[in-house]
Amino acid sequence: MKKKVLVLFMAFAMILTMGLFTGCGKTETSDEATTFTMGIDAEYPPFSYIGDDGEYTGFDVEICKAACEKLGWNFEVFGVNWDEKLVQLDADECDCVWSGMTILDSMKEAGYVISEPYYDNTQVILVKDGSGIASSADLAGKTVAVQLGTSGEALLQDDLADLAGTFGELVTCDSFLKCFTELDSGAVDAVFVDAPVADSYVAENEGFKIIDEGLGAEQYGIAFRADDQEMCDKIEAAVAELVEDGTYAEIAAKYPDIENNLLFLQK
Amino acid sequence: MPLTTMILKMGEGLGNTCSIFILTLLFSLPLGLLVALLRMSKSKIISGITRFFISILRGTPLMLQLIAVTYGPYYLFGLTVSRNKLIPVVIAFAINYAAYFAEIYRGGIESIPQGQYEAAKVLGYSKFQTFFRIILPQVIKRIMPSVTNEIVTLVKDTSLAFTVSFQEMFTIGKQIANSQTSFMPFLVAGVFYYIMNAVVDFGMGKVENKLDYYK
Amino acid sequence: MLEMNNIEKSFGELEVLKDISIRVDKGEIVSIIGPSGSGKSTLLRCATGLETADSGEIIYEDGASFGLVFQNFNLFPHYSVLQNVMDAPVKVMKKDKAVAKEEALKWLDKMGLKDRADAYPYQLSGGQQQRVAIARALAKDPDILFFDEPTSALDPELTGEVLKVIKSLADLHIAMVIVTHEMAFAKDISDRVIFMDKGVIVDQGTPEEVFGSDNQRTKDFLGRYNNI
């Protein structure tokens, strides 16, 4: 009788201890019931956005979902506030930031684990048909809009500061939609914007033209917390499998605007 | 995206918007009264400290306070950020609005003639009775217009919760707008806010009418 | 019943009450007269605890209770006339509500305001408001009732009705201390008149004594009133 109680007690203690350890983080090695929370900017089509049915979708979302299926993880989406995405990642609100995110040296320096790049991005200039603007040189004295917090904005302040210096005025909007609306209404002459965003806009709206000079080449990747190298490896392996079995290309085919710049499909 | 899907999706967030609104009022109205009383305390230290906190809460953007309340505990003490964002959001809103309400209460309390206190004292009312039976009812009537103003502002301020990724109606509207390159969600949001404020106006109008039995 | 001994009170540099001693007996009616700033009102405020005397003692013998009628009425605007009168008896004295209501209506009746019981103060004339305030003070069954210039805030044509009801209280045998500028009224109603000036009691006695006083200061003051 005494023995039975002792065994029961020990079993209980073990369960408790295990619970404590596994409770420390959802990134523990035991894969079962792991929930992977993907941090996205829900305002960034075609990588991550709200679809016609009102659910989160986009190229990145679909790939992540498929990768989680491969890994047997539960998949969740968390809409970050893009200006604070790394704070929210640190604070454990999501397990990664995966949302057409430009890889910056500053992220690596800050210790974040960054995946292999998967997408080549350039900045393009979106203008109205018949605006007479044919190259970046024509922007001299013109009013140009850029989205706050994007790599385009960072570039214009840094690497492309000389170009920005020729603008008549640089207007910062807090969303692409506002940039485009300003352009459409004639409030600005051009929008400095990520190529895929411009592509998908032009595909749906008439009367606009893209000027692509390969400005500000950059790459997209996934950011994880500093101690999540293992998680990053697993996701990368799962994505590699998706590339292998053709799922990746299948999903990419749904997003013709970005298909050509996907690095895994170019190899 | 069909308009019905858009309205339904934003309607989901409307529940969260209403939660912020109702819970903020529930906590900030009594808290504001407490803060007002501390602010009017005879102790210079207590009133000084309270005054300092009020000046910080009124002198910095609510957006900043939202970030501080949500992420401050994590950065300062390594505490996990609450999965339920409603908690930090309501705390930040309630504290901020309490500061504004406190100043409104204070103005109201100070506008009550000294004679009311004296009459109550001579009649033998305790300090507690004097405040809650004699002074406060008159204060409430006097501050009604300013309180209504604040409440209308609160309806619109709920949209600031997007700062900490709380999925309230406007956050979702903004996401849909940029996902679908459409201004329609903003129009829908505007209608939602307008309806909410119409309800607030109606309700506050009723309360003011009820208090109109005396001058 | 009330004894105030050697009361001193200053506001900053200004000495308002200088060593004042008075006594009020049960059922006695005392008028306090004197020019503005003589300290009459401050004396009442000290007696009712609205001001604290700097020195001296105030004794209510045998736990005597008091009421105060203000110059500005100070009715509670959010209460009806009836509530104004019965709230303190119910909430402070813990009287039964029905009893308190009955008594309140009795006092209002005495004030000639029974039919206005459900009105609110803003609906009443100043004279009516002051009569409600008197009923409110009486409802607490005071042994001594203070009046602080009860007609000073009223239009002249309304002072009569208030003075009339105060006079009608004389047969209740409640002691009354009335600070007033109505000299004819003071002469008529008082058992004793106190003339104060510059913080001291200059003269006191029966109305006949004071109004016929040889004291030069009393004479000068009373000389300003020609309708006594």
Side-chain angles (χ1 to χ4, degrees):
Chain A
M1 183 66 193
K2 256 188 182 170
K3 228 178 178 176
K4 255 189 187 166
V5 173
L6 195 74
V7 169
L8 261 172
F9 178 76
M10 280 182 63
F12 184 70
M14 262 172 68
I15 291 167
L16 206 74
T17 330
M18 275 169 63
L20 272 176
F21 273 103
T22 47
C24 285
K26 45 194 177 309
T27 60
E28 271 310 300
T29 39
S30 73
D31 286 349
E32 47 184 2
T34 297
T35 297
F36 184 75
T37 307
M38 174 192 200
I40 64 161
D41 175 6
E43 305 174 17
Y44 199 65
F47 290 93
S48 48
Y49 60 100
I50 295 181
D52 287 344
D53 57 356
E55 300 299 321
Y56 290 125
T57 187
F59 176 73
D60 283 349
V61 175
E62 287 200 49
I63 295 293
C64 183
K65 200 171 175 182
C68 283
E69 269 168 32
K70 282 254 184 256
L71 293 162
W73 290 353
N74 294 325
F75 168 77
E76 260 182 26
V77 174
F78 176 76
V80 301
N81 174 359
W82 198 245
D83 298 336
E84 287 162 43
K85 54 184 180 293
L86 295 177
V87 173
Q88 294 183 318
L89 177 62
D90 275 340
D92 237 1
E93 296 201 271
C94 51
D95 295 312
C96 71
V97 178
W98 186 348
S99 191
M101 185 195 74
T102 305
I103 300 172
L104 298 176
D105 289 340
S106 61
M107 292 178 184
K108 292 178 181 161
E109 284 158 18
Y112 294 99
V113 173
I114 307 290
S115 73
E116 283 293 305
Y118 63 92
Y119 183 82
D120 261 335
N121 185 38
T122 54
Q123 299 292 319
V124 297
I125 299 155
L126 186 72
V127 296
K128 268 177 149 173
D129 278 341
S131 66
I133 299 170
S135 74
S136 58
D138 295 335
L139 291 175
K142 302 283 187 192
T143 304
V144 181
V146 67
Q147 189 196 348
L148 183 73
T150 57
S151 49
E153 192 206 8
L155 273 168
L156 289 175
Q157 283 172 3
D158 200 4
D159 288 357
L160 296 178
D162 289 347
L163 174 63
T166 68
F167 297 166
E169 194 190 346
L170 181 62
V171 178
T172 318
C173 304
D174 70 354
S175 74
F176 285 130
L177 180 58
K178 285 184 194 153
C179 290
F180 294 149
T181 308
E182 297 255 307
L183 177 66
D184 201 13
S185 68
V188 303
D189 301 308
V191 178
F192 201 73
V193 58
D194 291 348
V197 180
D199 285 338
S200 65
Y201 188 73
V202 167
E204 281 174 31
N205 298 275
E206 280 181 23
F208 296 95
K209 199 175 72 176
I210 292 172
I211 302 167
D212 187 354
E213 297 180 356
L215 289 170
E218 58 184 11
Q219 292 180 315
Y220 288 173
I222 312 162
F224 297 86
R225 279 181 292 274
D227 50 2
D228 279 347
Q229 182 64 53
E230 196 184 340
M231 186 191 283
C232 174
D233 293 344
K234 281 187 181 164
I235 290 284
E236 284 190 328
V239 171
E241 271 183 60
L242 294 174
V243 174
E244 200 77 13
D245 67 15
T247 315
Y248 199 89
E250 229 169 80
I251 294 172
K254 293 197 241 169
Y255 302 92
D257 297 336
I258 60 169
E259 202 181 1
N260 293 335
N261 291 357
L262 287 165
L263 295 170
F264 296 148
L265 297 182
Q266 289 169 3
K267 282 168 193 165
Chain B
M1 181 185 281
L3 188 62
T4 46
T5 315
M6 187 183 292
I7 291 172
L8 280 177
K9 196 76 193 157
M10 291 173 72
E12 283 173 27
L14 200 60
N16 281 334
T17 301
C18 291
S19 300
I20 301 176
F21 175 74
I22 291 165
L23 291 173
T24 299
L25 283 185
L26 201 66
F27 291 119
S28 63
L29 283 170
L31 184 62
L33 184 58
L34 181 71
V35 174
L37 294 178
L38 291 176
R39 168 79 175 79
M40 291 171 13
S41 161
K42 285 198 183 99
S43 152
K44 281 233 163 73
I45 300 170
I46 293 176
S47 77
I49 291 174
T50 314
R51 198 172 167 172
F52 176 68
F53 274 106
I54 291 175
S55 78
I56 287 188
L57 290 167
R58 301 209 311 170
T60 60
L62 176 52
M63 199 188 271
L64 218 63
Q65 293 165 24
L66 273 164
I67 295 172
V69 172
T70 311
Y71 299 113
Y74 164 73
Y75 274 113
L76 295 175
F77 313 112
L79 297 175
T80 328
V81 175
S82 168
R83 283 264 148 179
N84 187 354
K85 279 293 173 50
L86 187 59
I87 297 167
V89 166
V90 167
I91 291 175
F93 267 89
I95 293 175
N96 179 275
Y97 270 80
Y100 282 93
F101 283 136
E103 289 299 274
I104 293 176
Y105 282 124
R106 186 168 69 93
I109 291 170
E110 285 176 352
S111 76
I112 302 295
Q114 195 57 30
Q116 293 289 306
Y117 291 93
E118 294 185 348
K121 185 171 182 194
V122 171
L123 286 168
Y125 289 93
S126 68
K127 281 205 163 152
F128 187 85
Q129 284 176 322
T130 302
F131 186 73
F132 285 100
R133 294 191 65 80
I134 309 298
I135 306 302
L136 192 59
Q138 299 183 49
V139 169
I140 288 172
K141 182 181 166 78
R142 286 182 190 213
I143 64 176
M144 244 11 225
S146 322
V147 168
T148 304
N149 253 341
E150 265 331 291
I151 293 178
V152 167
T153 309
L154 172 61
V155 169
K156 294 175 282 180
D157 269 359
T158 52
S159 65
L160 286 174
F162 86 88
T163 316
V164 293
S165 293
F166 185 64
Q167 295 283 309
E168 48 73 51
M169 185 260 290
F170 193 70
T171 307
I172 295 173
K174 215 160 80 79
Q175 289 173 349
I176 296 175
N178 284 301
S179 293
Q180 305 281 324
T181 40
S182 155
F183 260 103
M184 199 60 195
F186 293 131
L187 190 70
V188 172
V191 170
F192 274 143
Y193 284 128
Y194 184 78
I195 292 172
M196 282 178 75
N197 269 330
V199 172
V200 167
D201 260 347
F202 179 78
M204 296 305 277
K206 281 256 175 225
V207 175
E208 283 193 42
N209 278 343
K210 252 205 148 142
L211 292 174
D212 243 6
Y213 68 88
Y214 73 93
K215 282 183 181 124
Chain C
M1 187 172 48
L2 165 65
E3 227 178 277
M4 297 178 82
N5 297 325
N6 311 102
I7 303 296
E8 305 256 357
K9 177 74 184 173
S10 301
F11 293 112
E13 292 291 295
L14 187 68
E15 272 186 273
V16 183
L17 298 177
K18 301 169 192 164
D19 193 23
I20 300 267
S21 298
I22 63 167
R23 219 195 120 70
V24 180
D25 289 321
K26 197 168 190 307
E28 191 184 16
I29 299 175
V30 179
S31 291
I32 304 177
I33 59 172
S36 301
S38 58
K40 315 178 296 285
S41 286
T42 306
L43 187 64
L44 279 204
R45 292 174 63 83
C46 285
T48 51
L50 293 177
E51 301 286 353
T52 313
D54 298 335
S55 65
E57 55 179 4
I58 299 167
I59 303 158
Y60 284 93
E61 286 158 10
D62 307 324
S65 64
F66 62 81
L68 171 63
V69 175
F70 297 85
Q71 184 178 340
N72 295 313
F73 335 134
N74 292 336
L75 291 178
F76 303 135
H78 58 305
Y79 282 167
S80 69
V81 165
L82 180 63
Q83 283 172 306
N84 262 284
V85 179
M86 66 179 278
D87 195 61
V90 172
K91 296 297 166 186
V92 177
M93 300 166 82
K94 309 291 175 199
K95 276 193 187 175
D96 180 75
K97 222 172 169 175
V99 173
K101 184 175 173 182
E102 200 182 314
E103 288 179 3
L105 288 170
K106 182 191 83 187
W107 289 121
L108 286 171
D109 195 20
K110 187 155 181 68
M111 294 297 124
L113 286 169
K114 199 175 180 182
D115 56 330
R116 304 310 309 270
D118 294 324
Y120 282 85
Y122 80 96
Q123 296 166 316
L124 304 179
S125 72
Q128 289 173 321
Q129 289 191 47
Q130 191 59 300
R131 284 187 276 152
V132 174
I134 294 169
R136 179 174 72 173
L138 287 167
K140 284 208 66 205
D141 304 326
D143 298 307
I144 178 166
L145 191 50
F146 297 97
F147 293 84
D148 186 4
E149 304 192 23
T151 57
S152 295
L154 297 176
D155 294 335
E157 67 267 26
L158 296 176
T159 56
E161 60 179 81
V162 172
L163 295 179
K164 211 170 98 192
V165 299
I166 296 175
K167 210 169 160 185
S168 76
L169 300 178
D171 54 8
L172 293 173
H173 303 295
I174 297 172
M176 295 199 274
V177 178
I178 308 162
V179 169
T180 184
H181 291 290
E182 300 291 333
M183 293 306 148
F185 170 72
K187 188 175 178 183
D188 181 31
I189 192 176
S190 308
D191 297 318
R192 189 151 52 96
V193 176
I194 295 173
F195 171 53
M196 278 180 75
D197 193 12
K198 295 184 180 137
V200 295
I201 294 175
V202 176
D203 214 347
Q204 64 172 314
T206 61
E208 291 71 28
E209 285 166 3
V210 173
F211 285 91
S213 173
D214 291 334
N215 186 307
Q216 194 53 47
R217 280 164 79 184
T218 311
K219 271 181 165 168
D220 288 348
F221 172 71
L222 290 172
R224 288 184 237 157
Y225 298 85
N226 50 16
N227 60 340
I228 304 165

